[in-house]
Amino acid sequence: MPELPEVETVRRHLAERIEGDVIRDVEVRLPRIVRRPALNLFAERLKEQGIRRVGRRGKYLLFELDRVLLVSHLRMEGRYAVADPSEPELPHTHVVFRLASGRELRYADVRQFGTMDAVLEGEPLPKGLAELGPEPFDPALCGAVLHHRWRGRRAPIKSLLLDQRQIAGLGNIYVDEALFAAGIHPLTPAGVVGADALDGLLREIRDVLARAIREGGSSVRSFRDGYGRHGGFQIQLAVYGRAGEPCPRCGGAIQKIKVAGRGTHVCPACQPISVAAPIGTGVNA
């Protein structure tokens, strides 16, 4: 699933190309992509709406229109492309926005898990979006805040970092990378990590996210940006996807374990667990 750096990369490229344009018509070919309103109302809400800004919140793309907020979640493999009508469509193109400029904004999704909501001012935001925690770069987010919030929690720290209600936008790749950089084992109970260590973890989270954004995200599977290009950060990954390879810090073998059902990459030597917890349990306390 695209994480914050990948979604931010798509956002920037779409902003360059479609901000200031106007949606003339919408063709939805796969109705289940649209969650609300009803399909006929979805298209009507978006017609003749100017695209004021393309924003992002966590892993959501937010198309801020004249009177409507179009909320889009790419899920596993959703992908946007801006193209001339004469250009061949990508396979599995499910939604086409025809623009006043003569171009088309096309949404393709092989797995068909992506979602769209067209929200009028005053209507409640989609549930997942409404429940998001702070952005990782929020200056008000610090180790003391997390320490207070997680006090007494027995859940593995990775489980909480993946919880979008705690911090928005993080996923499997960048949580593994940040925990390695901070020297924290993913199974360490969140409640035993001190405020200073959490400050250090936040610094590593922000660093890895900023570096990934500069490189256009990570294409570990099928991610492409708004121009159809692969990301470049995958060649800089220290532990993710490198099970059995030598740790770049100590030379020991990187292990792959399970935390809350998610494949997790860790160097046991560089990331000693603070309090024993059964490997693979992913306690959800």
Side-chain angles (χ1 to χ4, degrees):
M1 180 182 294
E3 302 179 28
L4 187 153
E6 290 75 48
V7 179
E8 176 62 17
T9 297
V10 172
R11 183 204 70 78
R12 293 182 181 189
H13 293 163
L14 291 180
E16 291 174 356
R17 306 188 73 184
I18 67 171
E19 282 185 351
D21 215 327
V22 178
I23 298 171
R24 291 293 191 218
D25 192 25
V26 182
E27 180 183 355
V28 179
R29 300 168 183 171
L30 186 68
R32 71 168 174 265
I33 296 287
V34 176
R35 296 198 303 183
R36 66 174 177 137
L39 191 58
N40 61 323
L41 294 177
F42 178 82
E44 286 302 316
R45 282 189 179 186
L46 298 179
K47 286 181 181 179
E48 303 304 323
Q49 289 289 300
I51 303 171
R52 295 183 175 181
R53 180 176 179 270
V54 182
R56 179 195 57 77
R57 180 78 169 91
K59 301 176 187 178
Y60 289 85
L61 285 169
L62 305 177
F63 297 84
E64 299 175 16
L65 311 179
D66 288 336
R67 297 181 302 280
V68 180
L69 179 67
L70 174 60
V71 179
S72 173
H73 200 304
L74 303 176
R75 300 295 174 187
M76 297 296 291
E77 295 194 33
R79 178 179 166 191
Y80 280 99
V82 180
D84 292 325
S86 60
E87 295 180 56
E89 291 183 356
L90 292 171
H92 308 284
T93 294
H94 300 307
V95 184
V96 177
F97 302 85
R98 297 184 176 90
L99 307 178
S101 62
R103 300 169 301 165
E104 295 178 343
L105 173 63
R106 300 169 177 173
Y107 177 78
D109 193 338
V110 175
R111 301 288 292 275
Q112 303 179 5
F113 291 152
T115 60
M116 294 184 188
D117 296 80
V119 183
L120 293 176
E121 185 176 353
E123 290 184 338
L125 293 174
K127 184 178 179 181
L129 177 61
E131 296 175 343
L132 288 181
E135 291 284 314
F137 295 105
D138 185 340
L141 183 63
C142 65
V145 169
L146 291 181
H147 183 63
H148 176 75
R149 185 184 302 165
W150 295 348
R151 184 176 299 163
R153 296 291 299 270
R154 295 174 53 244
I157 191 167
K158 178 172 179 177
S159 299
L160 294 187
L161 290 172
L162 291 175
D163 185 344
Q164 301 301 294
R165 296 168 298 181
Q166 302 293 326
I167 303 176
L170 300 181
N172 216 29
I173 296 173
Y174 301 108
V175 168
D176 280 5
E177 290 294 299
L179 286 170
F180 170 74
I184 299 174
H185 195 287
L187 278 169
T188 301
V192 307
V193 183
D196 289 344
L198 290 171
D199 268 328
L201 175 60
L202 283 171
R203 284 194 297 271
E204 299 299 347
I205 287 172
R206 289 160 177 159
D207 176 70
V208 71
L209 293 178
R211 289 189 289 119
I213 291 170
R214 287 197 296 270
E215 296 296 328
S218 299
S219 291
V220 296
R221 290 184 179 85
S222 59
F223 170 71
R224 301 283 186 96
D225 66 19
Y227 291 97
R229 302 176 302 206
H230 290 286
F233 191 68
Q234 62 274 8
I235 64 174
Q236 298 184 34
L237 295 173
V239 292
Y240 183 85
R242 298 188 58 224
E245 297 181 27
C247 169
R249 187 176 293 157
C250 74
I254 295 168
Q255 293 184 358
K256 184 175 182 180
I257 62 175
K258 287 279 188 179
V259 180
R262 304 293 298 274
T264 298
H265 302 82
V266 59
C267 173
C270 296
Q271 298 169 264
I273 192 164
S274 298
V275 175
I279 296 296
T281 57
V283 181
N284 290 315

